[in-house]
Amino acid sequence: MPTLLHIDTSVFPGEASASRSVTATFRKEWEAQHPNGTVIYRDLAAEPLPHLDGLAAAAGFAAPDQRSPEQHAAFALRETLASELEQADTVLIAAPMYNFTIPSTLKAWLDHVIIVGRTSGAEQTTTSGTPTVVVASRGGGYGPGTPRESFEFVTNYLGKALGDGLGLDVTFVVPELTLARSNPAMAELVEASDASKAKAHEEAAAKAKELAARFAA
């Protein structure tokens, strides 16, 4: 049965988080198609990963039989995280915009799983082609032609890190204007916000069905 790797990163719980609510929609549909499938779940806000340190970084560039005992110990977490990514048939990532870019917890995950010569840096990596859905929620509007288009460092960064770096097949679902109902200054954007939210849930459900169908028995 297929395996879904689901990563949430929002600091807000449940329905208070736009990204979590949309990843929940995707996962619900995916599990409906594969009730006996495997889900590997990481909530990086509830259980943040340590930042990559020098020992773990150096270990990634050394052959396993050439690593010191300290490097072996430091590399253990990277091995676990990379293996989770490698065994996934589908990857689902919540990436809300915080201060124009991704949560630091997601960056820590990327630093651990990007291993040159294994998951990255080769023409064919151990993660090449894995379908990946990224829910890139944002409080305002940062799309093409908007005043803050140049401030958007979520989809452009993750497109490179996940797509070019890890070789994943990335699709973005983007609920935006998510602060409209809580920010009086955005009152005139509530309708657009609601429409964006509804579209994101529809896209997530449709993408889950599409990807689940690839692994139908």
Side-chain angles (χ1 to χ4, degrees):
M1 296 301 292
T3 296
L4 171 68
L5 173 60
H6 176 186
I7 298 173
D8 275 329
T9 62
S10 174
V11 298
F12 300 107
E15 290 296 319
S17 163
S19 64
R20 285 181 188 273
S21 66
V22 176
T23 58
T25 291
F26 180 101
R27 179 170 168 175
K28 180 180 179 180
E29 190 59 52
W30 192 92
E31 289 182 314
Q33 304 299 317
H34 295 294
N36 297 317
T38 299
V39 176
I40 301 171
Y41 181 60
R42 284 193 175 269
D43 186 337
L44 299 184
E47 297 184 37
L49 300 167
H51 289 295
L52 185 69
D53 62 20
L55 275 174
F61 291 99
D65 61 355
Q66 297 298 313
R67 292 171 188 156
S68 69
E70 294 79 11
Q71 286 178 327
H72 273 293
F75 192 75
L77 176 59
R78 299 190 73 187
E79 178 65 42
T80 296
L81 297 171
S83 294
E84 290 176 351
L85 178 60
E86 289 167 334
Q87 67 183 286
D89 296 294
T90 302
V91 179
L92 173 64
I93 299 174
M97 177 186 282
Y98 292 157
N99 299 315
F100 311 122
T101 188
I102 64 173
S104 61
T105 51
L106 181 55
K107 180 59 165 63
W109 179 82
L110 285 166
D111 288 341
H112 284 292
V113 300
I114 295 176
I115 302 173
V116 176
R118 178 174 168 178
T119 61
S120 180
E123 185 172 327
Q124 183 69 26
T125 71
T126 56
T127 54
S128 290
T130 303
T132 300
V133 175
V134 178
V135 178
S137 58
R138 50 211 195 189
Y142 295 83
T146 61
R148 287 205 164 188
E149 177 183 359
S150 65
F151 287 76
E152 205 285 323
F153 299 103
V154 175
T155 60
N156 56 6
Y157 169 69
L158 289 177
K160 298 298 183 183
L162 297 174
D164 295 349
L166 291 168
L168 304 176
D169 181 8
V170 183
T171 298
F172 288 101
V173 175
V174 185
E176 62 179 2
L177 304 172
T178 62
L179 293 178
R181 286 194 169 274
S182 60
N183 184 351
M186 298 175 66
E188 74 279 5
L189 297 172
V190 167
E191 184 175 345
S193 171
D194 290 347
S196 180
K197 177 181 178 180
K199 181 182 178 183
H201 282 278
E202 290 172 4
E203 289 179 351
K207 195 66 180 178
K209 288 181 181 179
E210 174 195 330
L211 295 179
R214 298 185 186 182
F215 308 104

